[in-house]
Amino acid sequence: MPSAATARRVPAHRNEVVLAGRVTAEPSVRELPSGEHLVTWRISVARPPSDVRRGPQADPFTCVSFRPDIREAVRGWRIGDLVQVSGALRRRYRRAARGGGGTVEVEATGVRSIGAGEAGTP
């Protein structure tokens, strides 16, 4: 068992994420076999110019939520809208015909629109 001194030095576990980016896949809702509703959407977050080399200039993130208030808040989002998402990273495993696979998603606990999309923005 760790001593009290060791316990004080170990930081608390945290899983917090805040992303701001453009919607690249509009929110869609599906009913799971459990009867729960899952809303899913994707955003793209541009990398700072100092991080852009020869690789990607943005990172895509899949966001999900089971919460009705989040489902309602994202209902009007369209491709190109600038949004902010806060939540936690979740690793999910899926079964598939060709074997299972895992993905990392952001499970949203807070969302807000920052601005409407502009013509020509992905």
Side-chain angles (χ1 to χ4, degrees), residues 3-12:
S3 71
T6 302
R8 282 192 297 265
R9 286 192 306 243
V10 177

Side-chain angles (χ1 to χ4, degrees), residues 28-112:
S28 66
V29 178
R30 65 184 170 108
E31 186 174 351
L32 301 178
S34 66
E36 288 186 289
H37 290 89
L38 178 70
V39 61
T40 304
W41 68 97
R42 204 167 43 250
I43 66 172
S44 180
V45 178
R47 291 184 179 179
S50 61
D51 289 350
V52 176
R53 293 179 183 79
R54 294 179 189 213
Q57 296 182 1
D59 294 298
F61 295 95
T62 299
C63 303
V64 301
S65 184
F66 292 97
R67 293 174 40 171
D69 60 325
I70 301 284
R71 190 168 60 239
E72 184 63 28
V74 304
R75 182 168 33 151
W77 288 3
R78 300 293 176 249
I79 291 175
D81 287 352
L82 186 58
V83 299
Q84 180 175 306
V85 177
S86 58
L89 294 177
R90 300 285 186 239
R91 181 151 173 91
R92 290 202 310 153
Y93 294 92
R94 293 185 174 96
R95 294 182 189 165
R98 295 185 179 177
T103 60
V104 175
E105 301 170 330
V106 176
E107 185 173 346
T109 56
V111 297
R112 70 183 183 107

